[in-house]
């Protein structure tokens, strides 16, 4: 059975583009596979043109759980050419603010062990989709041996911020949304997203379509050390 590496993707800003064109740089509502694989490749010190080393990482089965969806915001960027000093076209860029995701990658144990170690001592600093979006806390949540993607995403404790948990304490009724790749023998309707990385070569980046299955899992428990009861809930109830 495969192992599963779990990441917590949280920060002030995130941006996970899958279909950006020209001066409009959009973001998906959840981390893309290409973005997370790129994060692992950077941590391991892989060069962008090393497609041979990228292949086993890209073959990992990917899934993400939306623990805190965040807010989509828009920003405008200006830049000047480094040599000529001329103004570059104004770009419109989108971000997710205050979002928290649990990402999981399923595959061969040795490869995931190496990726886990690389995240703890990265060669290149990790970022959440763009270099301007550093992670707020420790990325790795652990490596689960002899595990499956679906079961791990259902059991990892809820990673949302304390303020979000207070405001959404009835979330248990709805559960958490999971976006994952279909299992090899699974036959189900799915969407497609062009974020399966084939090459990160700067001059010719290439991505293929992959299937995305949307499911819901019951709300897991809270992370260790975080009480389920919040004393400020009583104050909020009095004010309401």
């Amino acid at each position: 059975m495969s192992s599963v590496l779990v990441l917590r993707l949280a920060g002030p800003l995130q941006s996970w583009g899958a279909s950006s064109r020209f001066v409009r740089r959009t973001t998906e509502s959840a981390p893309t596979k290409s973005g997370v694989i790129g994060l692992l490749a950077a941590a391991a010190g892989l060069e962008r043109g090393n497609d041979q080393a990228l292949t086993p990482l890209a073959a990992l089965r990917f899934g993400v759980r939306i623990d805190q969806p965040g807010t989509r915001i828009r920003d405008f960027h200006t830049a000047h050419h480094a040599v000529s000093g001329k103004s570059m076209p104004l770009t419109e860029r989108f971000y997710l603010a205050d979002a928290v995701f649990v990402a999981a990658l399923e595959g061969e144990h040795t490869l995931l062990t190496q990726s886990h170690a690389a995240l703890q001592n990265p060669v290149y600093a990790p970022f959440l989709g763009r270099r301007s979006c550093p992670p707020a806390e420790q990325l790795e949540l652990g490596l689960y041996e002899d595990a499956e993607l679906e079961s791990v995403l259902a059991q990892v404790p809820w990673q949302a911020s304390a303020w979000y948990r207070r405001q959404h304490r009835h979330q248990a009724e709805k559960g958490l949304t999971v976006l994952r790749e279909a299992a090899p023998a699974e036959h189900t309707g799915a969407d497609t997203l062009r974020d399966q990385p084939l090459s990160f070569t700067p001059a010719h980046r290439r991505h293929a379509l992959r299937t995305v299955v949307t499911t819901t899992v019951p709300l897991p428990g809270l992370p260790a050390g975080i009480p389920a009861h919040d004393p400020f809930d009583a104050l909020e109830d009095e004010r309401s």
Side-chain angles (χ1 to χ4, degrees), residues 82-93:
V83 178
S84 66
K86 293 183 178 180
S87 296
M88 304 295 288
L90 181 70
T91 60
E92 183 183 23
R93 305 190 182 192

Side-chain angles (χ1 to χ4, degrees), residues 4 6 65 104 144 147-156:
V4 177
V6 183
R65 193 181 75 195
Y144 293 71
E148 294 182 343
L149 188 77
E150 292 85 353
S151 61
V152 171
L153 286 173
Q155 72 185 62
V156 172

Side-chain angles (χ1 to χ4, degrees), residues 18-98:
S19 59
S20 297
R21 292 291 185 273
F22 306 110
V23 296
R24 183 178 174 87
R25 312 292 175 83
T26 59
T27 179
E28 298 295 321
S29 59
T32 58
K33 182 176 183 179
S34 60
V36 175
I37 294 299
L39 186 154
L40 295 181
L46 302 183
E47 299 301 327
R48 288 184 176 272
N50 191 347
D51 294 343
Q52 184 176 358
L54 171 65
T55 299
L57 286 175
L60 295 171
R61 186 162 165 251
F62 175 71
V64 61
R65 193 181 75 195
I66 304 176
D67 283 30
Q68 183 175 321
T71 303
R72 191 183 300 268
I73 63 174
R74 180 176 61 176
D75 191 21
F76 294 95
H77 284 232
T78 60
H80 292 80
H81 194 277
V83 178
S84 66
K86 293 183 178 180
S87 296
M88 304 295 288
L90 181 70
T91 60
E92 183 183 23
R93 305 190 182 192
F94 292 82
Y95 299 86
L96 298 175
D98 294 326

Side-chain angles (χ1 to χ4, degrees), residues 162-170 230-240:
W163 66 266
Y164 184 87
R165 293 196 303 270
R166 288 198 298 270
Q167 293 182 9
H168 299 80
R169 52 186 178 273
H170 303 302
D230 191 323
F232 287 100
D233 287 346
L235 297 179
E236 292 182 359
D237 292 340
E238 289 181 3
R239 287 196 299 266
S240 61

